[in-house]
Amino acid sequence: MDRKPSFIERLGEKDAFLVGTWAKIASLETVELLGHVGFDFAVVDMEHAPHSFQTAYQAIATAQSVGMYTLARLPDRSGSAVQRLLDGGIDGLLVPRVETPAIAAEATAAMAFPPLGSRGMGYTSRAARWGLDTAAEYLERGRNHVMRGVQIEDMAALEQIDGILEAPALNAVFIGFGDLALSSGLPGSHPTLRALEAKVLAAAKAKGVPCGTAVQTPDEAVRCREAGYSFVMISADTTLFAHAARKLMTDTRSALGL
């Protein structure tokens, strides 16, 4: 049986551009629906939403069952959730608030098997189909088919991107404009941030490392593709539901003259 290309393999394809969204609602039904409507991937948000390991684990299996890749944004950079999420068969991880090359190296090493990192062996887990795969197959997937990403979210990190990209196990970066705008006091469209964005994208491209970000509209997604990003999260399940529900109620009240 042919193996579906992994998420990190898809990002490595020429002119790749994958579109996902944040999965903040701890519900299998919403994750399943995101897959049914055609999102390439969903990112289970364990930092800014009430996902536990259990709900994240269930989201992984549900999303993959409908052909959608699943990533997770870790709750913090301590690494406490890394091993179990990887052994749960997740397609990739994002570590929030990575500020220095040393933090990037440590955070991504926890996701990689030796010699690149310190991830432990667990080939009777879901990542190896509960032991149906061999240990060698489990190790090969973990080494070559998992996205190990960091989020760049402050000015100092943007300015140190060359050092961050040297982290041996790192294979993806994500620019978080929300925290970046908060820490810098500048809007995401400010020329200073756009210049730093271009620097990150150029450095990542030179290293062959895909770069992603989060956006709110299709027009912003188009800009990101043209700028050189390889993946974006657009909106979030909570936002999609809230806006659709509000529009429905507004339209209904208007139609009823209420």
Side-chain angles (χ1 to χ4, degrees), residues 22-237:
W22 297 104
K24 294 176 178 286
I25 302 172
S27 163
L28 303 185
E29 289 82 3
T30 52
V31 170
E32 185 178 27
L33 282 166
L34 293 175
H36 282 320
V37 301
F39 281 99
D40 295 311
F41 66 99
V43 184
V44 178
D45 191 353
M46 301 179 75
E47 183 187 25
H48 291 298
H51 278 288
S52 64
F53 167 74
Q54 187 65 32
T55 62
Y57 174 83
Q58 291 170 335
I60 298 167
T62 299
Q64 292 174 345
S65 74
V66 291
M68 183 171 63
Y69 298 111
T70 318
L71 314 179
R73 173 160 64 182
L74 296 171
D76 53 50
R77 62 189 192 210
S78 69
S80 60
V82 166
Q83 180 73 62
R84 290 193 297 167
L85 288 168
L86 291 172
D87 280 341
I90 202 160
D91 296 294
L93 297 173
L94 288 170
V95 184
R97 307 190 70 81
V98 170
E99 299 163 349
T100 67
I103 293 171
E106 181 180 5
T108 52
M111 306 178 199
F113 291 119
L116 282 183
S118 56
R119 178 182 172 185
M121 171 75 82
Y123 71 93
T124 55
S125 64
R126 183 176 180 273
R129 298 191 303 156
W130 305 110
L132 290 175
D133 293 342
T134 66
E137 289 169 331
Y138 164 79
L139 290 171
E140 195 275 335
R141 181 182 187 278
R143 287 183 170 131
N144 301 315
H145 302 292
V146 173
M147 190 194 83
R148 300 180 291 268
V150 299
Q151 295 191 181
I152 311 300
E153 302 179 275
D154 65 24
M155 297 289 281
L158 287 173
E159 291 164 354
Q160 297 182 83
I161 188 60
D162 290 324
I164 288 171
L165 289 169
E166 291 296 325
L170 180 147
N171 62 8
V173 293
F174 174 92
I175 302 178
F177 280 101
D179 281 323
L180 185 58
L182 188 63
S183 64
S184 68
L186 302 173
S189 59
H190 192 278
T192 298
L193 296 187
R194 285 286 186 252
L196 287 170
E197 175 191 47
K199 175 185 176 182
V200 172
L201 288 166
K205 182 177 180 180
K207 285 279 189 180
V209 174
C211 188
T213 192
V215 300
Q216 291 300 317
T217 69
D219 286 345
E220 290 174 341
V222 171
R223 186 200 74 81
C224 288
R225 183 176 63 179
E226 292 172 349
Y229 287 94
S230 297
F231 64 103
V232 296
M233 291 76 114
I234 183 166
S235 194
D237 54 3

Side-chain angles (χ1 to χ4, degrees), residues 3-14 16 18 69 91 140-141 144-147 171 210:
R3 178 181 63 81
K4 176 184 176 180
S6 61
F7 183 76
I8 195 67
E9 284 180 309
R10 289 285 309 279
L11 293 182
E13 295 173 358
K14 181 177 173 58
L18 301 185
Y69 298 111
D91 296 294
E140 195 275 335
R141 181 182 187 278
N144 301 315
H145 302 292
V146 173
M147 190 194 83
N171 62 8

